[in-house]
Amino acid sequence: MSSLANNYKRRKLSFKKGNGSFLYATNGKKYLDFIQGIAVNSLGHANPHLVKAINYQSKKVWHVSNAFIIPEGEKLAKKLTKKTFADSVIFQNSGAEATEAAIKVARRYFYSIGKPKKNTIICIKNSFHGRTIAAIHASGSKKMTTGFGPKVDGFDHFEFGDHKKLKKIITNNTAAIMVETIMGEGGIKVIPDWCLKELRKICDKKKILLILDEVQCGIGRSGKFFAYEYANIKPDIVPIAKGIGGGFPIGAVLMTKKVSKAMIPGTHGSTFGGNPLAMTVGNAVMDQIFKKGFLTNVRKISNYFIKELNNIKKKYPKLIKEIRGQGLLIGIQLFNDQNKFIQNLMDNKLLTIRAAENVVRILPPLNVKKSEIDLALNIIKKVCKKYKV
Ligand SMILES: *Cc1c(COP(=O)(O)O)cnc(C)c1O
């Protein structure tokens, strides 16, 4: 009997070590890991650059309070702002904390300019912004909020793509629109460029803020550092997490100078957020992702992978409904429940994970090799063959 609470339905599999795209299980088998801790291990398992960075820093200083200047954090924030829309950063430890911070920044901004009633955040129904009390209500998912009342006020929802409804629910009390640039848990639904452009326009017109949750799709996962870059727009606030730590828990909220002015001393904080150990790993991740040609290669390998998956789809038009995604955030949407399919892939030593709408979610490390993509394609083909459709 496990002493852990039962809040996860866990697969009966565990691992003794990992290396790049592979995991070595305690059952003696070697698995191609195309989950990577759900888009967290952006550089694969036991990446030598990250191992070196964490070893180096672990012998110096792990943690000091944010009451002091933390040079490693200054450095990572500088890198993040230099490469993005943002002018400043607050570090956290997880995605939910990052989205919470994003909500706080938006509200505090309007408070600071004398409009405290502008505090409602508009989100997409059944999106995913994390598991804290505020984040589950932001997500607007009945499944996540049930049993966790009272309902948290200050969130309004529209259905994915329903801009008519969106325009209708913007009121004088609206502070921001917050959406995932690519909906991850929701089924790998990419918000199209025209739609992001329209969201930016609406926000400008209504003088409200655009928050793009890139916790899952950010940090190179989409093939650009941020997925919104494809649409050539600039958000006001972006929460990040997953990929930035390469496996070490790091979250952050990135923001423009305009809104960051509201975040004066005492308005927000985190004991652990931005400690030297975490920041050193974050810096090492950034250095790899911004190596010349790294993101170009992500896009190249993604094009190949998606093209080949579409070829498989053509062969099994009654099994596979759609190939979704961008970069290395990819979904195979089936017509029917995907759990058996995922189990079959696992039996053939390929690890994938579900997302909503019958989607098999595939998240290779960003430095995946073409030969590993080919291995995955062969396993997927083999599993498809079992289905007589
Ligand atoms: C995973 C995720 C979160 C929550 O991150 P945690 O680290 O689990 O708190 C928030 N937003 C999006 C888009 C995510 O994918």
Side-chain angles (χ1 to χ4, degrees):
M1 250 281 276
S2 173
S3 296
L4 290 170
N6 200 25
N7 59 323
Y8 281 105
K9 196 171 141 200
R10 297 175 193 272
R11 303 187 199 179
K12 291 194 175 48
L13 188 61
S14 50
F15 308 98
K16 52 187 178 207
K17 66 169 190 170
N19 187 356
S21 297
F22 293 96
L23 272 172
Y24 298 81
T26 48
N27 65 13
K29 289 182 186 157
K30 179 182 170 185
Y31 290 84
L32 181 57
D33 180 14
F34 277 11
I35 302 175
Q36 292 292 335
I38 314 192
V40 166
N41 309 325
S42 38
L43 301 173
H45 295 281
N47 180 278
H49 300 283
L50 303 193
V51 170
K52 196 174 149 201
I54 201 166
N55 275 333
Y56 171 80
Q57 188 61 35
S58 73
K59 290 174 196 135
K60 293 179 69 181
V61 54
W62 292 20
H63 180 87
V64 295
S65 161
N66 279 302
F68 300 95
I69 289 170
I70 300 174
E72 297 81 3
E74 298 279 347
K75 204 166 135 191
L76 180 53
K78 190 69 79 193
K79 280 179 192 158
L80 285 165
T81 53
K82 230 171 133 181
K83 299 287 187 188
T84 68
F85 79 100
D87 301 305
S88 62
V89 181
I90 298 175
F91 286 112
Q92 310 274 263
N93 313 285
S94 68
E97 279 182 310
T99 56
E100 284 260 348
I103 294 162
K104 284 182 72 178
V105 170
R107 288 183 177 167
R108 189 71 190 200
Y109 164 70
F110 282 108
Y111 172 86
S112 77
I113 61 166
K115 295 177 176 168
K117 283 197 181 132
K118 277 181 94 65
N119 53 33
T120 298
I121 315 287
I122 295 178
C123 307
I124 293 175
K125 197 155 182 52
N126 293 321
S127 51
F128 188 82
H129 299 292
R131 296 287 197 156
T132 60
I133 289 286
I136 57 177
H137 286 92
S139 302
S141 139
K142 205 161 176 195
K143 201 172 128 202
M144 279 199 285
T145 51
T146 298
F148 300 110
K151 185 173 180 287
V152 172
D153 276 344
F155 298 98
D156 271 336
H157 296 94
F158 67 106
E159 300 281 341
F160 180 82
D162 190 354
H163 284 209
K164 232 190 206 156
K165 169 87 188 280
L166 167 64
K167 282 178 193 160
K168 227 189 272 166
I169 60 178
I170 296 175
T171 69
N172 286 336
N173 293 337
T174 304
I177 298 172
M178 176 165 81
V179 300
E180 297 163 74
T181 320
I182 302 174
M183 292 176 72
E185 307 302 310
I188 321 294
K189 281 152 82 168
V190 182
I191 298 190
D193 291 352
W194 68 266
C195 183
L196 284 172
K197 286 193 174 103
E198 171 116 349
L199 287 179
R200 182 68 270 178
K201 248 189 235 157
I202 293 171
C203 288
D204 287 342
K205 196 167 149 218
K206 301 281 184 183
K207 291 196 168 61
I208 59 177
L209 302 170
L210 180 60
I211 305 173
L212 294 177
D213 181 343
E214 296 239 4
V215 168
Q216 187 157 165
C217 62
I219 325 298
R221 181 56 55 187
S222 74
K224 300 255 188 193
F225 187 69
F226 281 136
Y228 69 74
E229 291 172 32
Y230 286 104
N232 251 324
I233 57 147
K234 285 197 171 117
D236 300 288
I237 302 171
V238 170
I240 63 170
K242 294 192 168 89
I244 184 67
F248 200 95
I250 303 178
V253 58
L254 278 61
M255 66 202 107
T256 61
K257 188 156 72 197
K258 180 176 97 174
V259 297
S260 84
K261 272 195 230 152
M263 302 311 285
I264 55 173
T267 50
H268 192 56
S270 164
T271 300
F272 292 116
N275 85 13
L277 196 55
M279 296 297 96
T280 300
V281 180
N283 275 305
V285 170
M286 284 291 280
D287 290 346
Q288 292 305 309
I289 287 179
F290 280 106
K291 275 228 164 112
K292 204 164 181 269
F294 186 94
L295 290 174
T296 317
N297 197 53
V298 172
R299 293 195 292 275
K300 213 166 95 187
I301 216 150
S302 157
N303 286 342
Y304 171 72
F305 197 11
I306 289 174
K307 189 187 89 210
E308 291 299 315
L309 285 172
N310 271 307
N311 285 336
I312 298 175
K313 173 182 168 268
K314 264 183 232 150
K315 263 186 98 176
Y316 300 94
K318 285 181 180 148
L319 172 66
I320 300 173
K321 191 172 174 192
E322 193 178 36
I323 304 299
R324 294 174 164 183
Q326 201 164 43
L328 291 173
L329 179 51
I330 296 172
I332 304 177
Q333 187 192 31
L334 304 186
F335 281 99
N336 296 307
D337 185 82
Q338 76 282 52
N339 287 314
K340 188 80 198 297
F341 194 91
I342 289 171
Q343 176 68 46
N344 283 330
L345 292 174
M346 191 166 101
D347 292 342
N348 285 280
K349 304 198 203 90
L350 172 62
L351 302 178
T352 60
I353 196 159
R354 65 179 300 287
E357 303 188 351
N358 299 333
V359 166
V360 178
R361 190 171 15 164
I362 306 179
L363 302 155
L366 302 183
N367 54 2
V368 65
K369 296 190 182 88
K370 182 169 173 289
S371 60
E372 294 159 351
I373 296 287
D374 285 331
L375 177 58
L377 285 165
N378 282 334
I379 296 170
I380 293 165
K381 279 180 206 162
K382 191 173 159 195
V383 167
C384 284
K385 245 182 227 160
K386 285 185 156 193
Y387 291 78
K388 290 180 186 59
V389 285

